[in-house]
Amino acid sequence: MSEVAKLELDGTVYEFPVITGSENEKAIDISKLRGNSGYITIDPGFKNTGSCVSEITFLDGEQGILRYRGYSIEDLANKASFLEVCYLLIFGELPNKSELAKFEATIRKYTLVNEEMKDIIDGFPKNAHPMGILSSLTSALTAFNPKPLNVESDEQVYEAVCKTLAKFLVLSSWVHRKREGFPLNYYDNSKGYVENFLRMMFAIPTEEYKADPVIVDALDKLLILHADHEQNCSTSTVRVVGSSHAGLFASISAGVSALWGPLHGGANQAVIEMLEAIKADGGDVEKFIAKAKDKDDPFRLMGFGHRVYKNFDPRAKIIKKAADDVLNSLGVNDPVLDIAKTLEKAALEDEYFKARNLYPNVDFYSGIIYRALGIPTEMFTVMFAIGRLPGWIAQWLEMRKNGEPIGRPRQVYTGSNLRDFKDIASR
Ligand code: MLT
């Protein structure tokens, strides 16, 4: 017999089906609540509300578990490449050699971006934030690809996926190059996806560029760790925008804008800005730890704790080792990073932070690595977007293929009741 939930309202008992996920998560299906009872639920921030069923990512905040299509984040980060993970998230299975070769070859078909895109980039002031430019350029891709995507055509979907992964990477690097006043680089189809990003970001015409394998490996791992995270703010945005049948590029553009916020993808930029402020103030970490503990002090530590992970962020454990490897390998000597290590040690040992599960999260360490890689602070959230792109694509496709209805929440009105109109003479 299927499980039901009972709710008594105004003396009437209503029954609602309970659904159970493949990892035994339980949900009450209230899709008939308003029709049967006239009531709705309310849940600001949707902390208790599921928007969909999904087969893509499973996470358990209490146990610190994260899996993409059933594979642990630990296995994927240590044994797979970012493009293998892109393929897994989007198509549901890890690619075999020939599938991966075809995927990489098809991406290479689309690595040349329409030159008219440069006219759009030129329209931005040099100090425009990279995420604002990237969101605009992503939406502009619709102008160059106006034909709506038929999600029922596997061939059209495959080509659109590869085109999106290719163009987004090139445009992300162009955002940086434009801000630095450097010539825009082109993708080199003889090199790998992640190596190409570094080359497009940092190669200058006057010198030969060779990507450091340590950096390529660290960045590949970072992108895997950011690839998907179930119904986070930006992914939910992509799904809701896509539910109106807006195109893939328009939906991803909206996701970029959502990720920009300092409470979401902008947290990695905020971490470095916090560390730089501590350094500028004299570098007294203990002083700022005391400020963080003082409830009357507005200072808050960025990069600690997580809305979903109650004990630790499994990605942070992996990225912490990558940060140590990169800093040791590059022999980076950076006082801001020294402050970060002191802060990390304090947070991991201090009962105040341990009791509140304020452990260093993925944003704390990713900011450190990006800084060590020489990536400008305002580009950190673009790095997050490059990593999250396959997750956005996978979730958008799942939503469309499942034929989900347009996302349109209800509300509880608390404004004025009916009032008589007053003309301006009597106001
Ligand atoms: C993410 O990876 O999207 C962030 O951890 C935020 C979240 O999951 O809510």
Side-chain angles (χ1 to χ4, degrees), residues 130-163:
M131 288 295 276
I133 303 172
L134 183 59
S135 177
S136 303
L137 296 181
T138 306
S139 184
L141 284 172
T142 308
F144 298 97
N145 301 274
K147 187 167 176 266
L149 170 60
N150 172 9
V151 295
E152 300 311 319
S153 161
D154 290 345
E155 184 188 353
Q156 282 194 32
V157 166
Y158 190 85
E159 296 293 321
V161 165
C162 294
K163 180 183 291 188

Short mmCIF file of all heavy atoms in Angstrom, two decimals, residues 130-163:
data_model
loop_
_atom_site.label_atom_id
_atom_site.label_comp_id
_atom_site.label_asym_id
_atom_site.label_seq_id
_atom_site.Cartn_x
_atom_site.Cartn_y
_atom_site.Cartn_z
N PRO A 130 32.70 41.06 -15.03
CA PRO A 130 32.73 39.93 -15.98
C PRO A 130 31.42 39.13 -16.05
O PRO A 130 31.01 38.70 -17.12
CB PRO A 130 33.87 39.06 -15.47
CG PRO A 130 34.78 40.01 -14.76
CD PRO A 130 33.89 41.04 -14.14
N MET A 131 30.74 38.97 -14.91
CA MET A 131 29.51 38.17 -14.93
C MET A 131 28.40 38.90 -15.68
O MET A 131 27.58 38.27 -16.37
CB MET A 131 29.07 37.86 -13.50
CG MET A 131 29.96 36.84 -12.82
SD MET A 131 29.89 35.22 -13.61
CE MET A 131 28.43 34.54 -12.81
N GLY A 132 28.39 40.22 -15.62
CA GLY A 132 27.38 40.97 -16.37
C GLY A 132 27.63 40.86 -17.87
O GLY A 132 26.71 40.66 -18.67
N ILE A 133 28.91 40.91 -18.25
CA ILE A 133 29.26 40.78 -19.67
C ILE A 133 28.94 39.37 -20.15
O ILE A 133 28.30 39.16 -21.18
CB ILE A 133 30.76 41.08 -19.89
CG1 ILE A 133 31.14 42.46 -19.37
CG2 ILE A 133 31.11 40.96 -21.38
CD1 ILE A 133 32.64 42.74 -19.40
N LEU A 134 29.32 38.36 -19.34
CA LEU A 134 29.11 36.96 -19.74
C LEU A 134 27.63 36.64 -19.89
O LEU A 134 27.22 35.95 -20.82
CB LEU A 134 29.78 36.02 -18.73
CG LEU A 134 29.70 34.53 -19.05
CD1 LEU A 134 30.35 34.22 -20.39
CD2 LEU A 134 30.36 33.72 -17.93
N SER A 135 26.82 37.17 -18.98
CA SER A 135 25.38 36.92 -19.08
C SER A 135 24.83 37.50 -20.37
O SER A 135 24.04 36.87 -21.08
CB SER A 135 24.67 37.55 -17.87
OG SER A 135 23.27 37.39 -17.98
N SER A 136 25.31 38.70 -20.72
CA SER A 136 24.85 39.35 -21.96
C SER A 136 25.32 38.60 -23.20
O SER A 136 24.56 38.37 -24.14
CB SER A 136 25.37 40.79 -22.01
OG SER A 136 24.95 41.50 -20.86
N LEU A 137 26.59 38.20 -23.19
CA LEU A 137 27.13 37.48 -24.36
C LEU A 137 26.43 36.14 -24.55
O LEU A 137 26.15 35.72 -25.67
CB LEU A 137 28.63 37.27 -24.20
CG LEU A 137 29.51 38.52 -24.15
CD1 LEU A 137 30.97 38.12 -24.01
CD2 LEU A 137 29.30 39.38 -25.38
N THR A 138 26.11 35.47 -23.42
CA THR A 138 25.42 34.17 -23.50
C THR A 138 24.03 34.34 -24.11
O THR A 138 23.61 33.59 -24.98
CB THR A 138 25.32 33.53 -22.11
OG1 THR A 138 26.62 33.46 -21.53
CG2 THR A 138 24.73 32.13 -22.19
N SER A 139 23.36 35.39 -23.67
CA SER A 139 22.03 35.66 -24.25
C SER A 139 22.16 36.02 -25.71
O SER A 139 21.35 35.61 -26.55
CB SER A 139 21.36 36.80 -23.47
OG SER A 139 20.06 37.00 -23.94
N ALA A 140 23.23 36.74 -26.05
CA ALA A 140 23.45 37.17 -27.44
C ALA A 140 23.68 35.97 -28.36
O ALA A 140 23.44 36.06 -29.59
CB ALA A 140 24.64 38.12 -27.52
N LEU A 141 24.11 34.84 -27.82
CA LEU A 141 24.30 33.64 -28.66
C LEU A 141 22.99 33.25 -29.35
O LEU A 141 22.99 32.64 -30.43
CB LEU A 141 24.82 32.47 -27.81
CG LEU A 141 26.29 32.52 -27.43
CD1 LEU A 141 26.61 31.41 -26.42
CD2 LEU A 141 27.19 32.39 -28.67
N THR A 142 21.86 33.64 -28.74
CA THR A 142 20.56 33.34 -29.36
C THR A 142 20.45 34.06 -30.70
O THR A 142 19.91 33.54 -31.67
CB THR A 142 19.41 33.81 -28.43
OG1 THR A 142 19.62 33.25 -27.13
CG2 THR A 142 18.06 33.35 -28.96
N ALA A 143 21.01 35.27 -30.75
CA ALA A 143 20.94 36.05 -31.99
C ALA A 143 21.68 35.35 -33.14
O ALA A 143 21.28 35.43 -34.30
CB ALA A 143 21.54 37.44 -31.75
N PHE A 144 22.74 34.63 -32.77
CA PHE A 144 23.52 33.93 -33.80
C PHE A 144 23.02 32.52 -34.03
O PHE A 144 23.45 31.82 -34.94
CB PHE A 144 25.00 33.91 -33.40
CG PHE A 144 25.61 35.28 -33.27
CD1 PHE A 144 25.71 35.91 -32.04
CD2 PHE A 144 26.04 35.97 -34.41
CE1 PHE A 144 26.25 37.19 -31.93
CE2 PHE A 144 26.57 37.25 -34.31
CZ PHE A 144 26.69 37.86 -33.06
N ASN A 145 22.11 32.07 -33.13
CA ASN A 145 21.53 30.71 -33.26
C ASN A 145 20.02 30.82 -33.02
O ASN A 145 19.50 30.30 -32.03
CB ASN A 145 22.15 29.78 -32.23
CG ASN A 145 23.66 29.68 -32.38
OD1 ASN A 145 24.17 28.87 -33.15
ND2 ASN A 145 24.39 30.51 -31.63
N PRO A 146 19.30 31.51 -33.91
CA PRO A 146 17.88 31.84 -33.64
C PRO A 146 16.92 30.65 -33.70
O PRO A 146 15.85 30.68 -33.11
CB PRO A 146 17.55 32.86 -34.71
CG PRO A 146 18.49 32.53 -35.84
CD PRO A 146 19.76 32.06 -35.19
N LYS A 147 17.31 29.55 -34.37
CA LYS A 147 16.38 28.42 -34.55
C LYS A 147 16.15 27.73 -33.20
O LYS A 147 17.09 27.33 -32.54
CB LYS A 147 16.97 27.43 -35.57
CG LYS A 147 16.06 26.28 -35.96
CD LYS A 147 16.61 25.56 -37.20
CE LYS A 147 15.76 24.33 -37.56
NZ LYS A 147 16.29 23.08 -36.95
N PRO A 148 14.86 27.64 -32.77
CA PRO A 148 14.57 27.00 -31.48
C PRO A 148 15.07 25.55 -31.48
O PRO A 148 15.03 24.87 -32.50
CB PRO A 148 13.05 27.04 -31.39
CG PRO A 148 12.62 28.11 -32.34
CD PRO A 148 13.63 28.11 -33.45
N LEU A 149 15.56 25.10 -30.34
CA LEU A 149 16.07 23.74 -30.20
C LEU A 149 14.90 22.77 -30.03
O LEU A 149 14.05 22.96 -29.16
CB LEU A 149 17.00 23.66 -28.99
CG LEU A 149 17.46 22.28 -28.52
CD1 LEU A 149 18.23 21.55 -29.63
CD2 LEU A 149 18.32 22.40 -27.27
N ASN A 150 14.88 21.74 -30.87
CA ASN A 150 13.87 20.68 -30.72
C ASN A 150 14.42 19.64 -29.75
O ASN A 150 15.28 18.83 -30.13
CB ASN A 150 13.56 20.04 -32.09
CG ASN A 150 12.66 18.81 -31.94
OD1 ASN A 150 12.13 18.55 -30.85
ND2 ASN A 150 12.52 18.06 -33.02
N VAL A 151 13.98 19.66 -28.51
CA VAL A 151 14.56 18.80 -27.47
C VAL A 151 14.24 17.32 -27.73
O VAL A 151 14.84 16.44 -27.12
CB VAL A 151 14.09 19.19 -26.05
CG1 VAL A 151 14.59 20.58 -25.68
CG2 VAL A 151 12.59 19.08 -25.92
N GLU A 152 13.29 17.07 -28.64
CA GLU A 152 12.98 15.65 -28.97
C GLU A 152 13.98 15.09 -29.98
O GLU A 152 13.99 13.90 -30.26
CB GLU A 152 11.56 15.55 -29.53
CG GLU A 152 10.46 16.04 -28.57
CD GLU A 152 10.61 15.45 -27.17
OE1 GLU A 152 10.93 14.23 -27.07
OE2 GLU A 152 10.46 16.19 -26.19
N SER A 153 14.80 15.97 -30.57
CA SER A 153 15.79 15.49 -31.56
C SER A 153 17.13 15.27 -30.87
O SER A 153 17.81 16.24 -30.47
CB SER A 153 15.96 16.54 -32.69
OG SER A 153 17.17 16.31 -33.37
N ASP A 154 17.51 14.02 -30.70
CA ASP A 154 18.79 13.72 -30.03
C ASP A 154 19.96 14.38 -30.75
O ASP A 154 20.90 14.87 -30.13
CB ASP A 154 19.01 12.20 -29.97
CG ASP A 154 18.02 11.52 -29.00
OD1 ASP A 154 17.39 12.26 -28.19
OD2 ASP A 154 17.89 10.29 -29.06
N GLU A 155 19.87 14.41 -32.09
CA GLU A 155 20.97 15.01 -32.86
C GLU A 155 21.06 16.52 -32.60
O GLU A 155 22.14 17.06 -32.34
CB GLU A 155 20.78 14.75 -34.36
CG GLU A 155 21.94 15.26 -35.21
CD GLU A 155 21.64 15.17 -36.71
OE1 GLU A 155 20.60 14.60 -37.08
OE2 GLU A 155 22.46 15.69 -37.49
N GLN A 156 19.92 17.20 -32.63
CA GLN A 156 19.93 18.66 -32.37
C GLN A 156 20.42 18.94 -30.95
O GLN A 156 21.19 19.88 -30.72
CB GLN A 156 18.52 19.24 -32.56
CG GLN A 156 18.10 19.47 -33.99
CD GLN A 156 16.85 20.35 -34.07
OE1 GLN A 156 16.63 21.25 -33.23
NE2 GLN A 156 16.03 20.08 -35.07
N VAL A 157 19.96 18.13 -30.00
CA VAL A 157 20.39 18.33 -28.60
C VAL A 157 21.90 18.14 -28.49
O VAL A 157 22.61 18.96 -27.89
CB VAL A 157 19.66 17.36 -27.66
CG1 VAL A 157 20.30 17.32 -26.28
CG2 VAL A 157 18.18 17.75 -27.56
N TYR A 158 22.42 17.08 -29.10
CA TYR A 158 23.86 16.80 -29.02
C TYR A 158 24.68 17.97 -29.58
O TYR A 158 25.63 18.44 -28.95
CB TYR A 158 24.18 15.53 -29.80
CG TYR A 158 25.58 15.00 -29.61
CD1 TYR A 158 25.90 14.16 -28.54
CD2 TYR A 158 26.62 15.36 -30.48
CE1 TYR A 158 27.19 13.67 -28.37
CE2 TYR A 158 27.90 14.88 -30.31
CZ TYR A 158 28.18 14.03 -29.25
OH TYR A 158 29.47 13.56 -29.07
N GLU A 159 24.27 18.46 -30.74
CA GLU A 159 25.00 19.59 -31.36
C GLU A 159 24.88 20.84 -30.50
O GLU A 159 25.87 21.56 -30.29
CB GLU A 159 24.45 19.85 -32.76
CG GLU A 159 24.63 18.72 -33.76
CD GLU A 159 26.09 18.46 -34.13
OE1 GLU A 159 26.85 19.43 -34.28
OE2 GLU A 159 26.47 17.27 -34.21
N ALA A 160 23.69 21.10 -29.94
CA ALA A 160 23.48 22.31 -29.11
C ALA A 160 24.32 22.24 -27.84
O ALA A 160 24.89 23.24 -27.39
CB ALA A 160 22.01 22.46 -28.76
N VAL A 161 24.42 21.04 -27.26
CA VAL A 161 25.24 20.85 -26.04
C VAL A 161 26.70 21.19 -26.35
O VAL A 161 27.34 21.97 -25.65
CB VAL A 161 25.11 19.41 -25.54
CG1 VAL A 161 26.21 19.07 -24.53
CG2 VAL A 161 23.73 19.18 -24.92
N CYS A 162 27.21 20.63 -27.43
CA CYS A 162 28.62 20.84 -27.78
C CYS A 162 28.89 22.29 -28.15
O CYS A 162 29.91 22.87 -27.77
CB CYS A 162 29.01 19.91 -28.92
SG CYS A 162 28.97 18.17 -28.46
N LYS A 163 27.93 22.89 -28.85
CA LYS A 163 28.08 24.31 -29.23
C LYS A 163 28.13 25.18 -27.97
O LYS A 163 28.95 26.09 -27.85
CB LYS A 163 26.91 24.73 -30.11
CG LYS A 163 26.96 26.19 -30.57
CD LYS A 163 25.73 26.55 -31.39
CE LYS A 163 25.71 25.84 -32.73
NZ LYS A 163 24.60 26.35 -33.61
#
